[in-house]
Amino acid sequence: MKRLSETPLVHPDAGVAATRLGRYTEVGARTRLVESVLDDYSYIVEDGEIACTTIGKFGSIARAVRINPGNHPMERASQAHFTYRASAYWPDEEEDEAGFFDRRRASPVTIGHDVWIGHGAIVLPGRTIGTGAVVGAGAIVTKDVAPYTIVVGNPARPVRRRFPEPIAERLLVLAWWDWDHERLRRALPDFRGLGVEAFLEKHGG
């Protein structure tokens, strides 16, 4: 049985570069994480690709998700790969075009805590997804997503709130995602068994 720990669990077939992984995190097979943060208790399963993104705690990212995909330089005479990854084509081109990749870094993605991103979703550069939000399978996020909002479709559009605004605000104040590991364990029966309002009443939110 798989058991997560303070040490991140990274599949041998995954690629992680210039990325910070938090405690109890997991990176699935054939997933690539570049210049990103995957904070405590978050995971991404197989075949994902994430660049220049900060993901909060308790993120649940399904298979084949793309976050902050690169754009091609459409304004140039050629938008092809060789113009910015020339080192793959000519031995005297020892470095790729730094300025081109700086464009992606200049449009990072920010994802809050306890966010669920469904199978095959795409989050475009520069977007923010608020805490508690849900991105439906196959959705393409072209605009920011408010906290505790469910979005679906292409382009992604809100379909409903997970909770009414007053409940969402109380959850944001409670910030249970910042609890320590033992407090989470003690509250596990309440996460499982109580409705959200009863949970907030019991835990002071």
Side-chain angles (χ1 to χ4, degrees):
M1 181 179 68
K2 172 181 66 178
R3 191 177 302 279
L4 300 176
S5 72
E6 299 259 346
T7 302
L9 183 61
V10 179
H11 193 281
D13 293 338
V16 178
T19 290
R20 182 176 69 79
L21 302 177
R23 303 171 305 129
Y24 300 95
T25 53
E26 183 176 7
V27 179
R30 300 174 303 280
T31 286
R32 294 181 62 241
L33 277 160
V34 178
E35 297 183 28
S36 294
V37 174
L38 187 70
D39 212 340
D40 300 346
Y41 302 93
S42 291
Y43 69 86
I44 177 169
V45 295
E46 297 91 348
D47 303 305
E49 187 166 336
I50 299 173
C52 304
T53 296
T54 298
I55 299 164
K57 299 174 183 177
F58 297 92
S60 304
I61 302 176
R63 186 173 187 157
V65 167
R66 294 286 307 274
I67 302 177
N68 204 356
N71 290 317
H72 286 256
M74 295 183 293
E75 72 281 1
R76 297 179 177 179
S78 174
Q79 60 188 343
H81 210 217
F82 81 92
T83 65
Y84 54 91
R85 289 201 183 274
S87 65
Y89 298 86
W90 294 283
D92 60 332
E93 288 285 344
E94 297 180 1
E95 296 182 1
D96 294 329
E97 183 187 3
F100 175 82
F101 296 98
D102 286 341
R103 289 164 55 177
R104 179 187 274 187
R105 295 184 186 101
S107 296
V109 170
T110 302
I111 297 173
H113 308 295
D114 195 36
V115 171
W116 175 21
I117 300 180
H119 180 102
I122 299 172
V123 181
L124 295 185
R127 303 282 70 87
T128 295
I129 298 176
T131 289
V134 177
V135 176
I140 300 181
V141 177
T142 63
K143 297 180 179 179
D144 292 350
V145 179
Y148 291 98
T149 300
I150 300 170
V151 299
V152 300
N154 176 16
R157 64 194 184 283
V159 291
R160 66 180 177 88
R161 299 291 305 266
R162 276 183 62 199
F163 305 117
E165 186 70 25
I167 296 294
E169 289 177 358
R170 290 170 66 189
L171 284 166
L172 291 170
V173 170
L174 180 63
W176 60 261
W177 40 85
D178 290 331
W179 293 355
D180 65 41
H181 197 64
E182 288 310 311
R183 184 174 180 185
L184 289 167
R185 175 65 183 87
R186 292 193 302 272
L188 183 59
D190 295 337
F191 279 107
R192 290 174 169 172
L194 296 180
V196 64
E197 291 188 66
F199 185 93
L200 285 164
E201 289 297 327
K202 179 171 181 178
H203 292 278

PDB file of all heavy atoms in Angstrom, residues 170-171 174 176 179 183-184 187-205:
ATOM      1  N   ARG A 170     -16.523  32.003   5.387  1.00  0.00           N
ATOM      2  CA  ARG A 170     -16.167  31.396   6.675  1.00  0.00           C
ATOM      3  C   ARG A 170     -15.073  30.337   6.497  1.00  0.00           C
ATOM      4  O   ARG A 170     -14.178  30.211   7.334  1.00  0.00           O
ATOM      5  CB  ARG A 170     -17.406  30.795   7.334  1.00  0.00           C
ATOM      6  CG  ARG A 170     -18.402  31.831   7.817  1.00  0.00           C
ATOM      7  CD  ARG A 170     -19.713  31.210   8.247  1.00  0.00           C
ATOM      8  NE  ARG A 170     -19.540  30.360   9.441  1.00  0.00           N
ATOM      9  CZ  ARG A 170     -20.498  29.560   9.912  1.00  0.00           C
ATOM     10  NH1 ARG A 170     -21.676  29.499   9.290  1.00  0.00           N
ATOM     11  NH2 ARG A 170     -20.272  28.831  10.982  1.00  0.00           N
ATOM     12  N   LEU A 171     -15.143  29.578   5.427  1.00  0.00           N
ATOM     13  CA  LEU A 171     -14.088  28.595   5.164  1.00  0.00           C
ATOM     14  C   LEU A 171     -12.747  29.279   4.927  1.00  0.00           C
ATOM     15  O   LEU A 171     -11.703  28.810   5.411  1.00  0.00           O
ATOM     16  CB  LEU A 171     -14.466  27.734   3.958  1.00  0.00           C
ATOM     17  CG  LEU A 171     -15.514  26.658   4.211  1.00  0.00           C
ATOM     18  CD1 LEU A 171     -16.048  26.123   2.888  1.00  0.00           C
ATOM     19  CD2 LEU A 171     -14.942  25.520   5.052  1.00  0.00           C
ATOM     20  N   LEU A 174     -11.473  30.278   8.286  1.00  0.00           N
ATOM     21  CA  LEU A 174     -11.040  29.107   9.060  1.00  0.00           C
ATOM     22  C   LEU A 174      -9.689  28.583   8.585  1.00  0.00           C
ATOM     23  O   LEU A 174      -8.837  28.201   9.387  1.00  0.00           O
ATOM     24  CB  LEU A 174     -12.089  27.994   8.959  1.00  0.00           C
ATOM     25  CG  LEU A 174     -11.790  26.698   9.712  1.00  0.00           C
ATOM     26  CD1 LEU A 174     -11.720  26.943  11.214  1.00  0.00           C
ATOM     27  CD2 LEU A 174     -12.830  25.637   9.371  1.00  0.00           C
ATOM     28  N   TRP A 176      -8.583  25.829   7.168  1.00  0.00           N
ATOM     29  CA  TRP A 176      -8.211  24.513   7.721  1.00  0.00           C
ATOM     30  C   TRP A 176      -6.972  23.928   7.036  1.00  0.00           C
ATOM     31  O   TRP A 176      -6.268  23.092   7.614  1.00  0.00           O
ATOM     32  CB  TRP A 176      -9.391  23.544   7.618  1.00  0.00           C
ATOM     33  CG  TRP A 176      -9.865  23.306   6.214  1.00  0.00           C
ATOM     34  CD1 TRP A 176     -10.924  23.883   5.601  1.00  0.00           C
ATOM     35  CD2 TRP A 176      -9.271  22.445   5.249  1.00  0.00           C
ATOM     36  NE1 TRP A 176     -11.028  23.452   4.299  1.00  0.00           N
ATOM     37  CE2 TRP A 176     -10.020  22.561   4.064  1.00  0.00           C
ATOM     38  CE3 TRP A 176      -8.176  21.590   5.250  1.00  0.00           C
ATOM     39  CZ2 TRP A 176      -9.721  21.847   2.905  1.00  0.00           C
ATOM     40  CZ3 TRP A 176      -7.861  20.881   4.102  1.00  0.00           C
ATOM     41  CH2 TRP A 176      -8.633  21.011   2.946  1.00  0.00           C
ATOM     42  N   TRP A 179      -3.832  23.837   9.061  1.00  0.00           N
ATOM     43  CA  TRP A 179      -3.728  23.039  10.275  1.00  0.00           C
ATOM     44  C   TRP A 179      -2.543  22.088  10.178  1.00  0.00           C
ATOM     45  O   TRP A 179      -2.173  21.638   9.079  1.00  0.00           O
ATOM     46  CB  TRP A 179      -5.001  22.238  10.504  1.00  0.00           C
ATOM     47  CG  TRP A 179      -6.211  23.059  10.818  1.00  0.00           C
ATOM     48  CD1 TRP A 179      -6.268  24.412  11.014  1.00  0.00           C
ATOM     49  CD2 TRP A 179      -7.549  22.568  10.949  1.00  0.00           C
ATOM     50  NE1 TRP A 179      -7.563  24.797  11.275  1.00  0.00           N
ATOM     51  CE2 TRP A 179      -8.374  23.698  11.238  1.00  0.00           C
ATOM     52  CE3 TRP A 179      -8.133  21.313  10.842  1.00  0.00           C
ATOM     53  CZ2 TRP A 179      -9.747  23.567  11.428  1.00  0.00           C
ATOM     54  CZ3 TRP A 179      -9.500  21.195  11.041  1.00  0.00           C
ATOM     55  CH2 TRP A 179     -10.293  22.311  11.331  1.00  0.00           C
ATOM     56  N   ARG A 183      -3.638  17.795  13.836  1.00  0.00           N
ATOM     57  CA  ARG A 183      -4.976  18.388  13.929  1.00  0.00           C
ATOM     58  C   ARG A 183      -5.859  17.896  12.792  1.00  0.00           C
ATOM     59  O   ARG A 183      -7.058  17.627  12.988  1.00  0.00           O
ATOM     60  CB  ARG A 183      -4.890  19.907  13.927  1.00  0.00           C
ATOM     61  CG  ARG A 183      -6.253  20.570  14.133  1.00  0.00           C
ATOM     62  CD  ARG A 183      -6.167  22.066  14.278  1.00  0.00           C
ATOM     63  NE  ARG A 183      -7.491  22.631  14.472  1.00  0.00           N
ATOM     64  CZ  ARG A 183      -7.757  23.942  14.535  1.00  0.00           C
ATOM     65  NH1 ARG A 183      -6.760  24.815  14.444  1.00  0.00           N
ATOM     66  NH2 ARG A 183      -9.000  24.377  14.701  1.00  0.00           N
ATOM     67  N   LEU A 184      -5.294  17.774  11.603  1.00  0.00           N
ATOM     68  CA  LEU A 184      -6.049  17.209  10.479  1.00  0.00           C
ATOM     69  C   LEU A 184      -6.522  15.792  10.806  1.00  0.00           C
ATOM     70  O   LEU A 184      -7.666  15.423  10.524  1.00  0.00           O
ATOM     71  CB  LEU A 184      -5.189  17.206   9.221  1.00  0.00           C
ATOM     72  CG  LEU A 184      -4.904  18.557   8.572  1.00  0.00           C
ATOM     73  CD1 LEU A 184      -3.788  18.419   7.546  1.00  0.00           C
ATOM     74  CD2 LEU A 184      -6.161  19.135   7.917  1.00  0.00           C
ATOM     75  N   ALA A 187      -9.410  15.809  13.175  1.00  0.00           N
ATOM     76  CA  ALA A 187     -10.640  16.309  12.548  1.00  0.00           C
ATOM     77  C   ALA A 187     -11.150  15.401  11.431  1.00  0.00           C
ATOM     78  O   ALA A 187     -12.225  15.669  10.878  1.00  0.00           O
ATOM     79  CB  ALA A 187     -10.395  17.713  11.987  1.00  0.00           C
ATOM     80  N   LEU A 188     -10.424  14.338  11.111  1.00  0.00           N
ATOM     81  CA  LEU A 188     -10.816  13.481   9.986  1.00  0.00           C
ATOM     82  C   LEU A 188     -12.259  12.988  10.084  1.00  0.00           C
ATOM     83  O   LEU A 188     -13.000  13.048   9.094  1.00  0.00           O
ATOM     84  CB  LEU A 188      -9.837  12.302   9.872  1.00  0.00           C
ATOM     85  CG  LEU A 188     -10.051  11.336   8.712  1.00  0.00           C
ATOM     86  CD1 LEU A 188      -9.980  12.054   7.365  1.00  0.00           C
ATOM     87  CD2 LEU A 188      -9.009  10.212   8.768  1.00  0.00           C
ATOM     88  N   PRO A 189     -12.731  12.511  11.247  1.00  0.00           N
ATOM     89  CA  PRO A 189     -14.141  12.093  11.316  1.00  0.00           C
ATOM     90  C   PRO A 189     -15.113  13.224  10.998  1.00  0.00           C
ATOM     91  O   PRO A 189     -16.183  12.983  10.423  1.00  0.00           O
ATOM     92  CB  PRO A 189     -14.287  11.622  12.768  1.00  0.00           C
ATOM     93  CG  PRO A 189     -12.911  11.260  13.202  1.00  0.00           C
ATOM     94  CD  PRO A 189     -12.020  12.234  12.496  1.00  0.00           C
ATOM     95  N   ASP A 190     -14.746  14.454  11.348  1.00  0.00           N
ATOM     96  CA  ASP A 190     -15.634  15.582  11.064  1.00  0.00           C
ATOM     97  C   ASP A 190     -15.603  15.957   9.586  1.00  0.00           C
ATOM     98  O   ASP A 190     -16.640  16.299   9.009  1.00  0.00           O
ATOM     99  CB  ASP A 190     -15.230  16.792  11.908  1.00  0.00           C
ATOM    100  CG  ASP A 190     -15.417  16.534  13.394  1.00  0.00           C
ATOM    101  OD1 ASP A 190     -16.237  15.656  13.743  1.00  0.00           O
ATOM    102  OD2 ASP A 190     -14.735  17.200  14.196  1.00  0.00           O
ATOM    103  N   PHE A 191     -14.430  15.902   8.940  1.00  0.00           N
ATOM    104  CA  PHE A 191     -14.376  16.105   7.492  1.00  0.00           C
ATOM    105  C   PHE A 191     -15.276  15.097   6.784  1.00  0.00           C
ATOM    106  O   PHE A 191     -15.955  15.430   5.811  1.00  0.00           O
ATOM    107  CB  PHE A 191     -12.935  15.956   6.979  1.00  0.00           C
ATOM    108  CG  PHE A 191     -12.074  17.174   7.148  1.00  0.00           C
ATOM    109  CD1 PHE A 191     -11.076  17.210   8.111  1.00  0.00           C
ATOM    110  CD2 PHE A 191     -12.232  18.281   6.331  1.00  0.00           C
ATOM    111  CE1 PHE A 191     -10.262  18.320   8.264  1.00  0.00           C
ATOM    112  CE2 PHE A 191     -11.427  19.402   6.467  1.00  0.00           C
ATOM    113  CZ  PHE A 191     -10.441  19.430   7.444  1.00  0.00           C
ATOM    114  N   ARG A 192     -15.275  13.861   7.275  1.00  0.00           N
ATOM    115  CA  ARG A 192     -16.064  12.805   6.635  1.00  0.00           C
ATOM    116  C   ARG A 192     -17.556  12.889   6.973  1.00  0.00           C
ATOM    117  O   ARG A 192     -18.402  12.642   6.115  1.00  0.00           O
ATOM    118  CB  ARG A 192     -15.541  11.440   7.077  1.00  0.00           C
ATOM    119  CG  ARG A 192     -14.188  11.085   6.524  1.00  0.00           C
ATOM    120  CD  ARG A 192     -13.692   9.790   7.144  1.00  0.00           C
ATOM    121  NE  ARG A 192     -12.510   9.279   6.464  1.00  0.00           N
ATOM    122  CZ  ARG A 192     -11.791   8.240   6.901  1.00  0.00           C
ATOM    123  NH1 ARG A 192     -12.133   7.620   8.021  1.00  0.00           N
ATOM    124  NH2 ARG A 192     -10.741   7.836   6.219  1.00  0.00           N
ATOM    125  N   GLY A 193     -17.855  13.210   8.225  1.00  0.00           N
ATOM    126  CA  GLY A 193     -19.218  13.006   8.703  1.00  0.00           C
ATOM    127  C   GLY A 193     -20.088  14.226   8.862  1.00  0.00           C
ATOM    128  O   GLY A 193     -21.318  14.103   8.930  1.00  0.00           O
ATOM    129  N   LEU A 194     -19.503  15.418   8.932  1.00  0.00           N
ATOM    130  CA  LEU A 194     -20.295  16.621   9.164  1.00  0.00           C
ATOM    131  C   LEU A 194     -20.540  17.381   7.867  1.00  0.00           C
ATOM    132  O   LEU A 194     -19.672  17.451   6.999  1.00  0.00           O
ATOM    133  CB  LEU A 194     -19.572  17.548  10.149  1.00  0.00           C
ATOM    134  CG  LEU A 194     -19.366  17.031  11.570  1.00  0.00           C
ATOM    135  CD1 LEU A 194     -18.640  18.090  12.404  1.00  0.00           C
ATOM    136  CD2 LEU A 194     -20.688  16.655  12.225  1.00  0.00           C
ATOM    137  N   GLY A 195     -21.715  17.977   7.750  1.00  0.00           N
ATOM    138  CA  GLY A 195     -21.949  18.941   6.687  1.00  0.00           C
ATOM    139  C   GLY A 195     -21.087  20.168   6.907  1.00  0.00           C
ATOM    140  O   GLY A 195     -20.577  20.400   8.008  1.00  0.00           O
ATOM    141  N   VAL A 196     -20.949  20.978   5.870  1.00  0.00           N
ATOM    142  CA  VAL A 196     -20.004  22.090   5.952  1.00  0.00           C
ATOM    143  C   VAL A 196     -20.370  23.077   7.060  1.00  0.00           C
ATOM    144  O   VAL A 196     -19.503  23.570   7.789  1.00  0.00           O
ATOM    145  CB  VAL A 196     -19.851  22.789   4.579  1.00  0.00           C
ATOM    146  CG1 VAL A 196     -21.154  23.443   4.130  1.00  0.00           C
ATOM    147  CG2 VAL A 196     -18.718  23.802   4.621  1.00  0.00           C
ATOM    148  N   GLU A 197     -21.662  23.359   7.254  1.00  0.00           N
ATOM    149  CA  GLU A 197     -22.037  24.311   8.299  1.00  0.00           C
ATOM    150  C   GLU A 197     -21.757  23.750   9.684  1.00  0.00           C
ATOM    151  O   GLU A 197     -21.250  24.468  10.567  1.00  0.00           O
ATOM    152  CB  GLU A 197     -23.505  24.704   8.137  1.00  0.00           C
ATOM    153  CG  GLU A 197     -23.771  25.538   6.895  1.00  0.00           C
ATOM    154  CD  GLU A 197     -25.178  26.080   6.852  1.00  0.00           C
ATOM    155  OE1 GLU A 197     -25.512  26.913   7.711  1.00  0.00           O
ATOM    156  OE2 GLU A 197     -25.944  25.642   5.966  1.00  0.00           O
ATOM    157  N   ALA A 198     -22.083  22.471   9.895  1.00  0.00           N
ATOM    158  CA  ALA A 198     -21.790  21.846  11.176  1.00  0.00           C
ATOM    159  C   ALA A 198     -20.279  21.797  11.431  1.00  0.00           C
ATOM    160  O   ALA A 198     -19.817  21.999  12.567  1.00  0.00           O
ATOM    161  CB  ALA A 198     -22.389  20.436  11.230  1.00  0.00           C
ATOM    162  N   PHE A 199     -19.521  21.548  10.371  1.00  0.00           N
ATOM    163  CA  PHE A 199     -18.062  21.543  10.504  1.00  0.00           C
ATOM    164  C   PHE A 199     -17.559  22.922  10.942  1.00  0.00           C
ATOM    165  O   PHE A 199     -16.727  23.031  11.853  1.00  0.00           O
ATOM    166  CB  PHE A 199     -17.430  21.139   9.169  1.00  0.00           C
ATOM    167  CG  PHE A 199     -15.942  20.976   9.219  1.00  0.00           C
ATOM    168  CD1 PHE A 199     -15.384  19.739   9.475  1.00  0.00           C
ATOM    169  CD2 PHE A 199     -15.105  22.060   9.015  1.00  0.00           C
ATOM    170  CE1 PHE A 199     -13.997  19.591   9.530  1.00  0.00           C
ATOM    171  CE2 PHE A 199     -13.716  21.919   9.075  1.00  0.00           C
ATOM    172  CZ  PHE A 199     -13.176  20.676   9.341  1.00  0.00           C
ATOM    173  N   LEU A 200     -18.070  23.954  10.317  1.00  0.00           N
ATOM    174  CA  LEU A 200     -17.651  25.306  10.674  1.00  0.00           C
ATOM    175  C   LEU A 200     -18.042  25.641  12.113  1.00  0.00           C
ATOM    176  O   LEU A 200     -17.277  26.268  12.851  1.00  0.00           O
ATOM    177  CB  LEU A 200     -18.272  26.306   9.699  1.00  0.00           C
ATOM    178  CG  LEU A 200     -17.645  26.364   8.296  1.00  0.00           C
ATOM    179  CD1 LEU A 200     -18.559  27.071   7.325  1.00  0.00           C
ATOM    180  CD2 LEU A 200     -16.287  27.046   8.345  1.00  0.00           C
ATOM    181  N   GLU A 201     -19.237  25.252  12.514  1.00  0.00           N
ATOM    182  CA  GLU A 201     -19.660  25.524  13.886  1.00  0.00           C
ATOM    183  C   GLU A 201     -18.763  24.827  14.884  1.00  0.00           C
ATOM    184  O   GLU A 201     -18.352  25.416  15.890  1.00  0.00           O
ATOM    185  CB  GLU A 201     -21.122  25.066  14.073  1.00  0.00           C
ATOM    186  CG  GLU A 201     -22.136  25.915  13.353  1.00  0.00           C
ATOM    187  CD  GLU A 201     -22.172  27.344  13.858  1.00  0.00           C
ATOM    188  OE1 GLU A 201     -21.932  27.560  15.062  1.00  0.00           O
ATOM    189  OE2 GLU A 201     -22.406  28.247  13.044  1.00  0.00           O
ATOM    190  N   LYS A 202     -18.409  23.582  14.615  1.00  0.00           N
ATOM    191  CA  LYS A 202     -17.605  22.827  15.563  1.00  0.00           C
ATOM    192  C   LYS A 202     -16.178  23.351  15.631  1.00  0.00           C
ATOM    193  O   LYS A 202     -15.558  23.380  16.707  1.00  0.00           O
ATOM    194  CB  LYS A 202     -17.609  21.350  15.193  1.00  0.00           C
ATOM    195  CG  LYS A 202     -16.774  20.499  16.139  1.00  0.00           C
ATOM    196  CD  LYS A 202     -16.955  19.022  15.916  1.00  0.00           C
ATOM    197  CE  LYS A 202     -16.108  18.225  16.924  1.00  0.00           C
ATOM    198  NZ  LYS A 202     -16.305  16.768  16.764  1.00  0.00           N
ATOM    199  N   HIS A 203     -15.642  23.780  14.507  1.00  0.00           N
ATOM    200  CA  HIS A 203     -14.229  24.124  14.445  1.00  0.00           C
ATOM    201  C   HIS A 203     -13.972  25.636  14.443  1.00  0.00           C
ATOM    202  O   HIS A 203     -12.855  26.079  14.148  1.00  0.00           O
ATOM    203  CB  HIS A 203     -13.572  23.448  13.252  1.00  0.00           C
ATOM    204  CG  HIS A 203     -13.501  21.966  13.414  1.00  0.00           C
ATOM    205  ND1 HIS A 203     -12.518  21.341  14.132  1.00  0.00           N
ATOM    206  CD2 HIS A 203     -14.342  20.980  12.948  1.00  0.00           C
ATOM    207  CE1 HIS A 203     -12.728  20.028  14.122  1.00  0.00           C
ATOM    208  NE2 HIS A 203     -13.814  19.787  13.419  1.00  0.00           N
ATOM    209  N   GLY A 204     -15.004  26.394  14.729  1.00  0.00           N
ATOM    210  CA  GLY A 204     -14.785  27.812  14.992  1.00  0.00           C
ATOM    211  C   GLY A 204     -14.732  28.694  13.769  1.00  0.00           C
ATOM    212  O   GLY A 204     -14.218  29.820  13.847  1.00  0.00           O
ATOM    213  N   GLY A 205     -15.262  28.233  12.663  1.00  0.00           N
ATOM    214  CA  GLY A 205     -15.213  29.053  11.460  1.00  0.00           C
ATOM    215  C   GLY A 205     -16.418  29.962  11.325  1.00  0.00           C
ATOM    216  O   GLY A 205     -17.465  29.753  11.889  1.00  0.00           O
TER     217      GLY A 205
END
